[in-house]
């Protein structure tokens, strides 16, 4: 599958993380093999403005429903300037199987993402487990997101939504946290830079932080009720807001607009946005709610289009451009409630915001155009598993959506509380064979199905290099992690004038500064990685980056649970070369021990650096390992493979569940285990860390082996 990508597509000359490459690994007798096939050194399209619009919980059936109700199809779905693609949404530990999703109806609801994991994948290019916000699935590593990359370039960052500002999707644009439910810590980090600015980590909703995120987000607008934004946070914002029109107000502080009785929220936001002294804006309201016919809307809350217009006005003041995330978050809430009326209303509101963005791009007075702006419209996952009827796959068109069919929607019998719209002629609450069904919801949660992604503008074509596979119904699709890679690649042309701070006490000055690529060193250290203009990676195939018998750092003591991390200090470890072990019968297998180790230990640990010129070009990673009895593999602190052991990490004195005699080197394609997109996300340009744990079945045995 991986090789077919480069044969199928012609990546031309685009510098992007979704291109072709190959890598192969053989451990402590370990070798990595790389093959570069793309023209990395040639120029790529660059975006001054990157706008990501997310209808949380949307899917093709919700799009169709809104179009049927309004009787029109939005421009972004029909204009040839736009391209439609399909995208996976699954989290770390799950997958997308085209055969299963279209043959086994329950497959789509058996292993699904939440918005936290989905947003992390969209913003960082790395999959994580559910509930985590820009933190690795293990909870150890802090992940660099697209907002931080934009800040490093001197650009502005905005996050606006129709649901709480510290909820998963908007929160992931500005914070890093072990759990999406630590709402106050997430809001603190986004508004003030530090997750515990207004409360201790031990306080409710204030835990789980992973250090500061500076500079702070420039625009944050959405629901600010007390359960998501604390009273202390609001008090601080009010004290710091200053007065409109005051040239002496602190521009580093947010100007706060709150819901007030009788106040038109959209007008209040725009009044603040046009003020020349407002460069940071926070808007805190209640949830914006509307039905399909517009009822339910209260002008004291802004429409998403009004929040969007205000955000664009403020962010547009930054000469270096911006990254803006716009979320129609209540589409998801409607899906959870199985309420089509609500879902269509929120989709209409979201489509209105898209039109506002398009109008802004087309306005020549903004300095924006389709040659310097990348616009991406998608979702984070599907919610409700909406289809044409109970148990029907979502490739069949749903029935008409209008005021009449909306009024027919109710819970149907034996559904576990699910709702459907049908002509219940018999008034039994059951869907009988002679009754017409217009649509049905099949879950109250999320679904692991492909969702649409629409793109236009500069860099949009980069997605063509990201095709993962072909779905038997939808056709070619990408992975959600590819969205981050395309945004990063498009953004990388931004230069900043003057000076900027990447991390505290580190300042770069120049006019301009060319920041070609930013990567993250695991364990929360942001690192600037610079490639000089015109530099590139040489074309390579099957490159051995770690050879059999190579030198490794190793230890046989109980090193705890952090020995695999990139920031771990292994200066006290011993140095040796493979083969390591105590195998007394090594000769009978055709190899000899180069580094003998004590036979009283049940575990051994190995670490080594290996260099990758351009991770985006990797197409495969192969491991050849000689081991006895089991082992686990980490790259840059993330576990990517284990054999014959359990746990992450396995217990120091246990974990082996099956013997593994070291009779021959065993080969494993690791890129097929974790997925090529996930693999490339783990690698960074330059030095990477591979860490190996090897485990024996009994401490007194004399056959622990690794190479």
């Amino acid at each position: 599958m991986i090789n077919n990508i480069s044969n199928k597509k012609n990546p031309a000359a685009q510098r992007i993380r979704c291109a072709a490459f190959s890598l192969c690994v053989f451990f402590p007798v370990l070798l990595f093999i790389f093959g570069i096939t793309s023209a990395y050194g040639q120029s790529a399209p660059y975006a001054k403005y990157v706008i990501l619009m997310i209808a949380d919980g949307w899917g093709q059936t919700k799009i169709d429903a809104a179009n049927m109700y309004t009787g029109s199809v939005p421009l972004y779905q029909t204009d040839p300037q736009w391209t439609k693609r399909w995208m996976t949404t699954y989290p770390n530990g799950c997958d997308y199987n085209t055969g299963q999703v279209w043959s086994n109806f329950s497959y789509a609801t058996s292993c699904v993402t939440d918005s936290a994991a989905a947003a992390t994948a969209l913003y960082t290019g790395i999959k994580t487990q559910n509930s985590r916000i820009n933190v690795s699935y293990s909870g150890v590593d802090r992940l660099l997101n697209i907002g931080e990359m934009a800040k490093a370039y001197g650009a502005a960052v905005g996050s606006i939504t129709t649901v709480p500002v510290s909820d998963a999707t908007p929160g992931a644009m500005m914070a890093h946290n072990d759990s999406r439910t630590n709402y106050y810590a997430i809001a603190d980090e986004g508004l003030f830079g530090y997750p515990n600015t207004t409360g201790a980590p031990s306080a409710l909703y204030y835990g789980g932080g992973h250090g500061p995120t500076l500079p702070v987000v420039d625009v944050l607008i959405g629901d600010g009720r007390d359960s998501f934004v604390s009273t202390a946070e609001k008090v601080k914002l009010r004290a710091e807001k200053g007065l409109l029109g005051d040239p002496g107000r602190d521009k580093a502080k947010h100007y706060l607009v709150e819901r007030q009785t009788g106040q038109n929220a959209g007008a209040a936001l725009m009044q603040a946005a046009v003020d020349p002294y407002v460069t940071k804006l926070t808007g805190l309201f209640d949830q914006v709610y509307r039905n399909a016919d517009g009822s339910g809307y209260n002008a004291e809350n802004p429409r998403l289009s009004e929040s969007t217009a205000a955000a664009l006005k403020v962010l547009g003041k930054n000469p270096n451009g911006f990254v803006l995330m716009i979320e129609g978050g209540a589409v998801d809430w409607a899906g959870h409630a199985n309420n089509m009326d609500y879902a269509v209303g929120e989709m209409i509101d979201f489509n209105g915001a898209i039109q506002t963005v398009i109008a802004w791009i087309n306005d020549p007075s903004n300095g924006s155009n389709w040659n310097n702006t990348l616009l991406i419209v998608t979702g984070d996952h599907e919610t409700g598993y909406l289809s044409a009827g109970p148990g029907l796959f979502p490739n069949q068109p749903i029935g008409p959506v209008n005021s009449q069919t909306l009024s027919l929607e109710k819970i149907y019998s034996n559904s576990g509380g699910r709702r459907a719209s049908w002509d219940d002629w018999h008034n039994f609450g059951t869907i009988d064979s002679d009754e017409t069904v217009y649509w049905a919801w099949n879950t109250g949660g999320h679904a692991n199905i492909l969702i649409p992604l629409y793109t236009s503008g500069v860099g949009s074509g980069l997605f063509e290099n990201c095709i993962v596979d072909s779905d038997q119904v939808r056709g070619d699709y990408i992975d959600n992690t590819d969205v981050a890679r395309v945004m990063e690649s498009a953004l990388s042309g931004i230069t900043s004038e003057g000076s900027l701070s990447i991390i505290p006490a580190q300042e770069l000055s120049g006019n301009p500064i060319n920041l070609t690529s930013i990567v993250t060193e695991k364990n929360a250290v942001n690192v600037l990685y610079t490639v000089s203009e015109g530099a590139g990676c040489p074309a390579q195939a099957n490159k051995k980056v770690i050879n059999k018998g190579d030198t490794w750092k190793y230890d046989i003591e109980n090193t705890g649970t952090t020995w695999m991390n990139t920031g771990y200090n292994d200066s006290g470890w011993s140095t040796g070369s493979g083969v390591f072990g105590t195998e007394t019968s090594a000769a009978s297998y055709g190899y000899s021990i180069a580094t003998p180790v004590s036979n009283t230990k049940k575990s051994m640990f190995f670490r080594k650096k290996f260099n990758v010129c351009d991770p985006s070009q990797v197409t495969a990673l192969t491991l050849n390992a000689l081991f006895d009895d089991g082992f686990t593999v980490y790259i840059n602190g993330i576990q990517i493979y284990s054999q014959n052991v359990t746990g992450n990490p396995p217990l120091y004195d246990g974990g082996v569940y099956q013997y593994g005699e070291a009779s021959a080197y065993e080969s494993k394609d690791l890129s097929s285990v974790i997925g090529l997109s996930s693999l490339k996300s783990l690698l960074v340009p330059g030095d990477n860390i591979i860490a190996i744990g090897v485990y024996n079945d009994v401490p007194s045995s004399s056959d622990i082996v690794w190479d």
Side-chain angles (χ1 to χ4, degrees):
M1 179 183 75
I2 299 303
N3 289 336
N4 288 340
I5 295 175
S6 55
N7 293 334
K8 227 170 124 176
K9 306 294 177 184
N10 178 14
Q14 295 168 332
R15 188 187 323 169
I16 179 175
R17 291 184 179 270
C18 302
F21 206 82
S22 97
L23 167 134
C24 202
V25 169
F26 304 61
F27 291 112
V29 178
L30 193 73
L31 73 107
F32 283 124
I33 301 179
F34 297 88
I36 305 174
T37 58
S38 73
Y40 175 88
Q42 300 183 31
S43 62
Y46 294 131
K48 182 176 183 180
Y49 309 107
V50 176
I51 303 172
L52 173 62
M53 304 191 70
I54 298 172
D56 193 323
W58 89 341
Q60 187 61 55
T61 47
K62 294 188 187 71
I63 294 171
D64 295 341
N67 294 349
M68 281 190 281
Y69 183 87
T70 62
S72 62
V73 180
L75 184 67
Y76 71 93
Q77 298 174 26
T78 60
D79 192 319
Q81 174 181 318
W82 288 78
T83 302
K84 179 182 180 180
R85 298 175 177 86
W86 295 93
M87 182 179 77
T88 60
T89 66
Y90 62 89
N92 181 279
C94 299
D95 63 5
Y96 178 82
N97 185 305
T98 181
Q100 283 290 305
V101 80
W102 297 112
S103 63
N104 177 4
F105 192 76
S106 63
Y107 170 82
T109 56
S110 62
C111 194
V112 300
T113 191
D114 75 344
S115 291
T120 296
L122 289 168
Y123 305 162
T124 72
I126 298 177
K127 289 185 182 292
T128 189
Q129 72 175 34
N130 288 339
S131 191
R132 299 230 187 271
I133 298 284
N134 295 328
V135 177
S136 65
Y137 76 95
S138 64
V140 173
D141 301 323
R142 171 188 168 115
L143 306 178
L144 188 74
N145 69 17
I146 190 65
E148 292 173 285
M149 296 177 195
K151 286 293 187 180
Y153 293 125
V157 176
S159 181
I160 66 176
T161 182
T162 56
V163 297
V165 294
S166 56
D167 206 1
T169 307
M173 273 300 289
M174 60 188 186
H176 306 74
N177 203 283
D178 289 334
S179 174
R180 58 180 293 176
T181 61
N182 289 317
Y183 306 117
Y184 297 166
I186 293 168
D188 260 1
E189 191 172 338
L191 291 168
F192 311 119
Y194 294 84
N196 299 111
T197 303
T198 64
S202 58
L204 183 64
Y205 304 145
Y206 274 108
H210 279 252
T213 298
L214 294 166
V216 299
V217 68
D218 297 281
V219 174
L220 183 62
I221 303 173
D223 182 351
R225 286 174 289 177
D226 289 347
S227 55
F228 293 93
V229 181
S230 71
T231 299
E233 288 165 336
K234 293 176 183 176
V235 168
K236 182 173 174 61
L237 285 168
R238 291 165 188 154
E240 295 176 347
K241 64 181 287 187
L243 299 174
L244 289 180
D246 179 7
R249 73 172 300 274
D250 190 344
K251 293 183 181 180
K253 307 297 184 183
H254 286 79
Y255 184 83
L256 174 65
V257 178
E258 296 181 86
R259 179 177 180 174
Q260 295 183 18
T261 302
Q263 173 184 265
N264 183 287
L269 281 172
M270 188 53 70
Q271 180 186 19
V274 299
D275 188 300
Y277 308 113
V278 173
T279 57
K280 286 182 168 53
L281 176 65
T282 295
L284 299 179
F285 303 93
D286 291 344
Q287 182 207 348
V288 178
Y289 176 95
R290 59 159 288 168
N291 292 305
D293 62 3
S295 61
Y297 170 71
N298 186 324
E300 293 175 2
N301 294 314
R303 294 182 175 89
L304 186 58
S305 59
E306 294 172 326
S307 297
T308 297
L312 291 170
K313 179 64 69 173
V314 174
L315 298 173
K317 298 173 185 178
N318 189 313
N320 296 318
F322 60 76
V323 169
L324 171 61
M325 191 288 299
I326 302 169
E327 183 199 24
V331 176
D332 174 67
W333 293 20
H336 285 297
N338 289 179
N339 188 321
M340 181 69 91
D341 196 356
Y342 185 6
V344 169
E346 291 301 311
M347 279 295 301
I348 292 172
D349 187 53
F350 181 71
N351 287 337
I354 297 173
Q355 189 54 47
T356 296
V357 172
I358 292 174
W360 181 85
I361 297 172
N362 289 332
D363 183 352
S365 68
N366 296 322
S368 59
N369 55 63
W370 295 103
N371 293 320
N372 66 6
T373 306
L374 172 62
L375 177 53
I376 302 171
V377 179
T378 189
D380 52 359
H381 52 71
E382 199 275 347
T383 304
Y385 207 8
L386 180 64
S387 69
L392 296 181
F393 292 101
N395 59 334
Q396 302 181 35
I398 61 174
V401 180
N402 52 48
S403 58
Q404 174 62 25
T405 56
L406 287 176
S407 69
L408 295 174
E409 188 177 65
K410 64 180 180 179
I411 295 174
Y412 56 97
S413 297
N414 302 315
S415 67
R418 306 282 67 80
R419 287 160 55 92
S421 173
W422 81 103
D423 292 319
D424 189 13
W425 303 120
H426 306 297
N427 291 317
F428 293 153
T430 58
I431 298 177
D432 300 314
S433 59
D434 61 341
E435 295 172 337
T436 301
V437 180
Y438 302 106
W439 66 79
W441 302 85
N442 292 285
T443 182
H446 301 167
N448 180 14
I449 61 176
L450 297 178
I451 62 173
L453 177 141
Y454 297 89
T455 61
S456 188
V458 63
S460 175
L462 297 176
F463 280 105
E464 283 304 303
N465 300 328
C466 302
I467 304 302
V468 172
D469 208 339
S470 184
D471 181 72
Q472 64 187 47
V473 173
R474 303 301 193 191
D476 289 349
Y477 61 87
I478 67 167
D479 187 65
N480 58 359
T481 56
D482 294 324
V483 173
R485 298 189 186 97
V486 168
M487 291 193 296
E488 178 187 354
S489 184
L491 186 68
S492 62
I494 292 179
T495 59
S496 82
E497 298 182 0
S499 64
L500 80 117
S501 177
I502 304 297
I503 57 176
Q506 179 180 352
E507 184 175 81
L508 301 178
S509 300
N511 190 11
I513 300 170
N514 183 10
L515 309 180
T516 304
S517 178
I518 294 176
V519 299
T520 180
E521 180 178 307
K522 307 300 181 181
N523 293 329
V525 180
N526 292 341
V527 179
L528 182 67
Y529 181 82
T530 305
V531 179
S532 60
E533 192 66 30
C537 297
Q540 296 172 328
N542 296 332
K543 179 184 178 183
K544 299 178 181 179
V545 296
I546 300 178
N547 293 288
K548 293 181 178 180
D550 263 357
T551 300
W552 288 72
K553 299 296 291 291
Y554 74 95
D555 198 356
I556 57 176
E557 300 301 324
N558 188 346
T559 57
T561 60
T562 62
W563 54 268
M564 72 291 293
N565 295 334
T566 56
Y568 182 82
N569 183 0
D570 59 12
S571 60
W573 285 24
S574 301
T575 300
S577 58
V579 175
F580 297 83
T582 58
E583 178 61 73
T584 56
S585 58
S588 65
Y589 290 128
Y591 61 83
S592 60
I593 298 296
T595 304
V597 294
S598 169
N599 65 1
T600 63
K601 302 296 182 181
K602 197 169 184 177
S603 306
M604 292 180 64
F605 307 97
F606 301 89
R607 288 171 58 88
K608 187 175 182 64
K609 289 182 180 180
F610 65 94
N611 188 272
V612 181
C613 179
D614 180 8
S616 70
Q617 306 300 301
V618 175
T619 57
L621 171 67
T622 303
L623 161 70
N624 283 344
L626 182 69
F627 66 95
D628 191 328
D629 286 292
F631 67 98
T632 185
V633 180
Y634 294 83
I635 291 182
N636 292 335
I638 303 298
Q639 187 182 50
I640 63 170
Y641 182 70
S642 291
Q643 186 160 335
N644 298 345
V645 293
T646 58
N648 182 20
L651 294 175
Y652 173 66
D653 60 349
V656 173
Y657 63 84
Q658 179 174 297
Y659 301 133
E661 293 297 332
S663 57
Y665 289 93
E666 295 186 15
S667 181
K668 188 69 178 180
D669 180 3
L670 300 181
S671 50
S672 67
V673 174
I674 67 171
L676 183 60
S677 295
S678 296
L679 168 64
K680 291 192 287 189
S681 298
L682 292 179
L683 299 172
V684 298
D687 285 339
N688 293 257
I689 296 292
I690 183 165
I692 310 291
V694 183
Y695 303 86
N696 195 13
D697 58 328
V698 291
S700 60
S701 177
S702 60
D703 62 352
I704 191 166
V705 171
W706 180 252
D707 193 30

